Amino acid sequence: MKTSMFGARTKRQFNTSHLAVSTLALSAALGLSACGGSSPETVTPVPPAVESPAAGAESYTALKADGTMWVNQNEQKVSLRGINIGNWLSMELWMFDNGDNPLGENIPDQCSLEETLTERFGEAEKDRLIKLHRDSWFTEADWDVIAEAGFNVVRVPFPYSLIENDDAPMTLKDDAWEYLDWAVAEAKKREIYVVLDLHGAVGGQGVEQHTGCEGQNELWSNDSYQERTKWLWGEIAKHYQGEATVAGYGLLNEPWGTDSATLRDLSVELYDAIRAHDEEHVVILAGHNADGISAYGDPMDYGMENVAFEPHFYPGLFGWGEIGYNVHRDWLTCGENGDSGVCDWANRARKVYTPMLVGEMQPWNGLGEMGGEITRATFDTYNDLNWAGTAWSYKVATASGGLGNGTWGYVTNNGDQLITKAQTWGCAGWESTFANACDVPASSTTPYEGEGTKTMYLVIKTGGFNGVDVVYDSIQLNKDSDGTNIIVNGEFGSGAESSWTEVSLWGDPRNYEFGYSAGEFAGSDSGEALRVTSPAGSHALIYQAVEVEGGESYTLSGKFTDLGSSDTWAEIYLVPDMPQEWVDVTGRAIPSVNVNSSSIEEIEEYFSFFAIDEMDYVVNHWVKESLTSEESATIFTNIPGKASNLALDVSNSNVALSWDSAEGEVVGYKIYRSLAPRSGFEEIATVEANRYSDDTVSADTTYYYYVAAFNDTDEGYASEIMASGETFYTVPTKIEAESYSTAHPGVQTESAGDEGGGFNIGSFESGYWVDYDINVPSAGSYVMDFRLASQVGSVQFEVIVADQVLTTVTVPNTGGWQSYQTLSFDVELPEGRSTLRLRSVDNQWNLNWFEIKNP
């Protein structure tokens, strides 16, 4: 047999010492008695079959699967913690500005983008523009950022069309290996592994836009497409056989478009196509179809060895709870009973004795500083379970920029350009300091993250539709480290106008009175100030250049007042580009483009903007600091016990809560309240004692409460939820989906994209159910309206009362998971109090609300 840098290949043997090591590591990592059973009091450890160095201390040699572990050629367990390079080779257009239609209407995906470019400019120019994007979005400097964060594996999503010539199927493009070879070479320089991920197969493996062409899903029904996909993996295997930098081959990203058995069968064929040329690389099987990894059983039963499973875990997203501490705690510490979350999946992996790659996850989104600790805890926990993990995603840009907006990206474009704002729609006749501005209060901002200094522009923009009369004064932009003010003539005395430049945007002339005698306003005597007036509609700005230092934070101070104008705005920005006549300053941190109509030069400029050496960028420093720290995360390590026996004493103006103490280290208790029984809870108080009195209630409203103990690092599980009043909904009534009394544990709540916002419930699988308590004054005929959404359609659920199926609802394809339609059904309801159950027959449908009406 051919010898390679992988060494001799041996058939996998079931080694009980590996299983023992895995189980003990899990128990130690989570502080539990082991997932799925109790450990004996005395355990004699079995000598490990492999070394287990600290994460990052392993030898950089080729990887293989060994039991449930990723192991290198020196027989060391390798703790893989990494990131995806999304929107590089496989484009997902939302990542350009974290919004809808960033490149123009009717351009939802890479296919429509390339079609539009081809129609407008021809095939050659389309290819050049796509190459320009790829050469800008991810560069050698980006590899350095990844290495500096301590990531040691990168998942590279790519479309089939990167390699295969669509005009001559099953032939290689002339530049087929240009980008993948470059990625492998750059990774090797930094001792980083690469996972090659087929993100979009020919014909599409689902209807989602991330396949490249939304709405297709033709791979499963087209024999030619399946043959081409097998050919493609064969070519990749031939090309990278013996390349130790490649950690494995990811066969298909998120193949939601078929059933699990079909997925398994095609995966076996793709595995065989690879093994015809490459017997050594790990083959990574998609493990997040409806049945997860259970559809495969033990891969050895299908002749597959040296394989791994790839699920995607997104706590807090896509219907999996709400973003925050609780959902990550429940996931990483196996839930309140210690048998769910990662424990459930670890048991599944051990049963089939196969490693796992969590190919996509997002542990910092929306969490701010806490996101760093949760990211570190996630990687530590996964590695203790022998799992690899790659976060989604390395870079995401947003229109307004900054970590508060670009949270999906480890790297994003810098933001915070709008630094204060007031307007008469929110606070007519305002008078305040910038720190207390009624619309956007001023706060500290880091305008430039690069090296050295940078020229930026402080912009004062004033406008209105029916006349303007606004006064500004005492404006300073102070460097936080030493208090240095970098604004000149922000007091606006006589002669100050020489420091400011005016730019017209639209409308009638306006007057800038730099020596206006403002007198006392916003808490102090102002002396001379700047008064901006205009008799009618106008929109203009003044600006001055300032020098900011890289990495330094600055705080804007000053004050402004409205002297009785209407329909008026007053805004201050700090922007990187000099303002131009007739070009509005909007605070958008990245340029905009419309591929349907913008010139080719404008499209070139847009794609070039995202190069890291061109774009002012910011790294999620909380994540970086946590990942590179020598200390493990402290979060989720000292979870207090559960407060119990919550009781409510209700009066017309007060709800008094009391409960029994929680066990463990407890500093105090957090009180949560909602108007719905299962969602929307907000913290209303923190107390040290075992009691609290809520006097902010209305007598005719039912409130729901729970209590949770906390300490310096963690928060305990919620007490039981108690209601202050009636919990049955009297018919006729409208009931929000999240206001259920009980539900199957798999049912999840998420923010609804429907009219009125709020929440919807989803993640329904066959047999999942949700219950609502209703009170029917009179038996008889009623109409039920359901507000429903589904991207797949032709899925059903039953409406049940007293074990009787009243009707079966068929949910159509509504055009998307958050595109809702209202369907009406006639039902017969019995008199009195009862439980109305919605029981899923199929899966993949969302419910926002339902209404029970008289006919």
Side-chain angles (χ1 to χ4, degrees):
M1 184 179 70
K2 178 182 177 182
T3 302
S4 75
M5 65 181 67
F6 285 82
R9 174 175 174 267
T10 59
K11 185 173 178 65
R12 185 190 74 178
Q13 300 293 325
F14 189 95
N15 189 320
T16 56
S17 65
H18 293 181
L19 184 57
V21 170
S22 176
T23 304
L24 291 173
L26 176 63
S27 300
L30 303 182
L32 302 170
S33 60
C35 295
S38 300
S39 296
E41 293 183 5
T42 302
V43 176
T44 302
V46 177
V50 297
E51 296 179 45
S52 296
E58 311 94 340
S59 299
Y60 182 67
T61 61
L63 298 178
K64 59 184 178 181
D66 192 341
T68 60
M69 289 180 283
W70 294 83
V71 175
N72 64 22
Q73 297 302 300
N74 294 336
E75 299 301 324
Q76 294 174 320
K77 170 188 166 182
V78 180
S79 297
L80 295 169
R81 46 185 72 189
I83 201 157
N84 285 264
I85 313 176
N87 198 41
W88 177 41
L89 304 177
S90 278
M91 299 171 73
E92 297 188 33
L93 306 190
W94 67 270
M95 298 174 73
F96 280 109
D97 74 357
N98 203 21
D100 296 329
N101 302 315
L103 303 188
E105 293 291 330
N106 301 314
I107 305 178
D109 53 29
Q110 185 166 349
C111 288
S112 55
L113 169 63
E114 294 193 18
E115 288 170 1
T116 304
L117 291 173
T118 301
E119 289 171 3
R120 294 194 63 202
F121 307 116
E123 184 81 17
E125 283 295 88
K126 178 266 293 182
D127 289 341
R128 184 181 68 84
L129 290 169
I130 295 300
K131 180 174 174 55
L132 175 62
H133 157 72
R134 288 170 171 165
D135 292 344
S136 301
W137 185 265
F138 198 72
T139 68
E140 187 173 349
D142 293 288
W143 280 106
D144 292 334
V145 173
I146 287 174
E148 289 165 4
F151 294 119
N152 65 354
V153 62
V154 166
R155 182 171 177 256
V156 181
F158 67 92
Y160 80 95
S161 56
L162 180 76
I163 297 170
E164 183 185 11
N165 187 341
D166 250 335
D167 294 329
M170 299 176 73
T171 61
L172 294 172
K173 298 176 71 171
D174 291 340
D175 59 352
W177 308 112
E178 175 184 353
Y179 287 104
L180 294 184
D181 279 356
W182 176 80
V184 169
E186 293 297 323
K188 182 181 292 187
K189 291 178 187 176
R190 299 162 179 83
E191 297 193 349
I192 294 172
Y193 294 102
V194 169
V195 171
L196 301 179
D197 159 52
L198 181 55
H199 219 65
V202 60
Q205 68 271 25
V207 298
E208 295 80 13
Q209 54 81 28
H210 55 66
T211 65
C213 306
E214 73 173 24
Q216 282 197 352
N217 193 36
E218 297 173 7
L219 173 66
W220 313 105
S221 58
N222 189 307
D223 291 340
S224 174
Y225 289 164
Q226 293 180 23
E227 290 302 314
R228 288 171 64 180
T229 305
K230 287 185 278 187
W231 169 87
L232 180 72
W233 274 118
E235 293 299 309
I236 295 170
K238 282 192 289 186
H239 189 75
Y240 290 109
Q241 193 277 332
E243 176 52 71
T245 301
V246 175
Y249 303 135
L251 295 183
L252 285 172
N253 177 70
E254 297 190 359
W256 293 114
T258 190
D259 61 90
S260 298
T262 303
L263 169 62
R264 177 200 62 214
D265 293 344
L266 180 58
S267 297
V268 172
E269 294 181 34
L270 297 177
Y271 170 91
D272 290 338
I274 289 171
R275 288 292 181 247
H277 307 285
D278 183 344
E279 296 184 330
E280 293 152 338
H281 274 111
V282 178
V283 175
I284 304 169
L285 310 172
H288 42 269
N289 199 267
D291 297 326
I293 64 178
S294 62
Y296 296 91
D298 188 337
M300 284 288 284
D301 294 340
Y302 297 90
M304 296 188 292
E305 47 185 324
N306 198 30
V307 299
F309 285 123
E310 183 191 329
H312 293 177
F313 298 140
Y314 279 106
L317 297 163
F318 306 121
W320 186 340
E322 298 177 26
I323 293 173
Y325 170 92
N326 289 351
V327 69
H328 291 280
R329 175 202 59 198
D330 296 357
W331 168 246
L332 294 177
T333 65
C334 303
E336 187 174 352
N337 298 319
D339 58 0
S340 59
V342 296
C343 277
D344 176 36
W345 276 87
N347 278 329
R348 299 188 206 186
R350 283 201 303 274
K351 287 177 181 177
V352 294
Y353 206 55
T354 304
M356 295 246 286
L357 163 67
V358 182
E360 293 182 20
M361 59 185 190
Q362 183 34 257
W364 62 75
N365 178 35
L367 295 171
E369 183 176 0
M370 188 194 306
E373 281 281 278
I374 288 180
T375 299
R376 177 61 184 268
T378 299
F379 277 116
D380 285 353
T381 301
Y382 287 0
N383 291 162
D384 284 335
L385 294 169
N386 305 326
W387 300 355
T390 49
W392 189 277
S393 181
Y394 169 70
K395 181 186 291 184
V396 175
T398 65
S400 51
L403 291 178
N405 302 289
T407 48
W408 273 79
Y410 173 72
V411 165
T412 189
N413 52 304
N414 203 7
D416 300 327
Q417 294 190 357
L418 174 61
I419 48 182
T420 194
K421 177 183 178 181
Q423 37 90 6
T424 55
W425 292 272
C427 43
W430 78 83
E431 178 184 321
S432 73
T433 63
F434 295 155
N436 295 313
C438 65
D439 199 350
V440 178
S443 61
S444 178
T445 180
T446 303
Y448 174 52
E449 289 281 354
E451 299 292 332
T453 62
K454 180 180 178 67
T455 301
M456 298 189 73
Y457 301 87
L458 187 89
V459 176
I460 301 173
K461 187 173 77 171
T462 316
F465 294 118
N466 296 292
V468 173
D469 197 345
V470 174
V471 177
Y472 301 87
D473 198 25
S474 304
I475 296 181
Q476 295 188 10
L477 187 61
N478 299 101
K479 186 164 67 172
D480 291 339
S481 61
D482 60 15
T484 302
N485 173 34
I486 62 174
I487 294 296
V488 177
N489 285 327
E491 297 294 335
F492 301 111
S494 299
E497 58 267 31
S498 63
S499 302
W500 298 88
T501 301
E502 180 183 358
V503 169
S504 297
L505 300 177
W506 54 260
D508 288 350
R510 78 287 312 153
N511 179 60
Y512 291 93
E513 185 178 350
F514 281 86
Y516 175 69
S517 298
E520 182 178 339
F521 78 95
S524 63
D525 189 357
S526 300
E528 291 183 311
L530 169 65
R531 185 182 186 186
V532 183
T533 58
S534 179
S538 70
H539 192 39
L541 58 85
I542 60 172
Y543 71 89
Q544 69 169 257
V546 295
E547 295 294 317
V548 299
E549 295 182 30
E552 292 282 352
S553 61
Y554 296 80
T555 298
L556 180 75
S557 62
K559 55 184 182 177
F560 52 178
T561 185
D562 166 32
L563 297 183
S565 52
S566 62
D567 300 334
T568 296
W569 51 91
E571 305 166 4
I572 298 181
Y573 296 84
L574 187 61
V575 298
D577 299 317
M578 181 185 294
Q580 304 294 320
E581 292 284 332
W582 318 117
V583 179
D584 199 1
V585 173
T586 63
R588 183 180 174 90
I590 55 178
S592 59
V593 73
N594 186 337
V595 174
N596 296 302
S597 57
S598 295
S599 69
I600 196 167
E601 291 79 15
E602 290 169 327
I603 297 170
E604 289 172 345
E605 181 180 359
Y606 183 82
F607 285 154
S608 299
F609 172 85
F610 298 99
I612 201 165
D613 55 353
E614 296 290 334
M615 177 180 74
D616 283 340
Y617 73 94
V618 57
V619 166
N620 191 316
H621 57 89
W622 299 303
V623 171
K624 180 179 180 180
E625 290 164 6
S626 292
L627 288 182
T628 56
S629 172
E630 294 183 2
E631 303 297 325
S632 299
T634 57
I635 201 167
F636 308 138
T637 61
N638 189 25
I639 299 172
K642 182 176 178 179
S644 58
N645 296 325
L646 176 63
L648 308 184
D649 186 4
V650 182
S651 67
N652 286 337
S653 60
N654 182 275
V655 177
L657 294 77
S658 61
W659 58 89
D660 292 346
S661 298
E663 296 181 353
E665 182 180 331
V666 176
V667 171
Y669 298 89
K670 295 182 180 182
I671 317 300
Y672 291 88
R673 186 181 74 184
S674 177
L675 296 177
R678 297 292 166 182
S679 64
F681 283 91
E682 296 181 354
E683 181 185 328
I684 61 170
T686 300
V687 297
E688 295 182 8
N690 294 23
R691 58 188 179 277
Y692 173 73
S693 182
D694 183 8
D695 58 6
T696 62
V697 297
S698 299
D700 57 350
T701 302
T702 295
Y703 300 91
Y704 297 85
Y705 297 88
Y706 74 81
V707 176
F710 72 93
N711 55 38
D712 291 338
T713 61
D714 285 300
E715 182 175 323
Y717 286 91
S719 69
E720 61 270 46
I721 297 172
M722 298 297 291
S724 67
E726 177 63 73
T727 61
F728 280 75
Y729 292 90
T730 299
V731 173
T733 185
K734 181 180 180 180
I735 302 176
E736 295 293 333
E738 68 270 20
S739 296
Y740 55 81
S741 54
T742 57
H744 185 283
V747 174
Q748 302 290 338
T749 302
E750 65 181 333
S751 297
D754 198 10
E755 297 176 3
F759 299 91
N760 65 267
I761 58 174
S763 298
F764 284 100
E765 300 289 346
S766 179
Y768 285 19
W769 49 267
V770 59
D771 286 348
Y772 299 87
D773 293 333
I774 61 172
N775 180 28
V776 182
S778 301
S781 299
Y782 293 86
V783 174
M784 294 190 70
D785 289 348
F786 293 94
R787 189 69 171 167
L788 299 160
S790 176
Q791 189 165 288
V792 294
S794 298
V795 291
Q796 295 184 321
F797 65 88
E798 297 170 330
V799 182
I800 302 171
V801 173
D803 295 327
Q804 299 296 313
V805 177
L806 306 184
T807 190
T808 298
V809 175
T810 300
V811 187
N813 183 336
T814 61
W817 298 117
Q818 293 298 327
S819 298
Y820 286 86
Q821 294 181 10
T822 303
L823 305 180
S824 296
F825 297 84
D826 296 328
V827 296
E828 294 288 330
L829 295 177
E831 182 179 346
R833 295 190 172 200
S834 58
T835 296
L836 184 146
R837 169 167 290 190
L838 309 181
R839 184 172 65 196
S840 188
V841 177
D842 300 297
N843 57 19
Q844 303 186 67
W845 54 279
N846 289 339
L847 173 67
N848 190 15
W849 51 259
F850 65 92
E851 186 172 6
I852 305 175
K853 304 184 295 187
N854 290 316

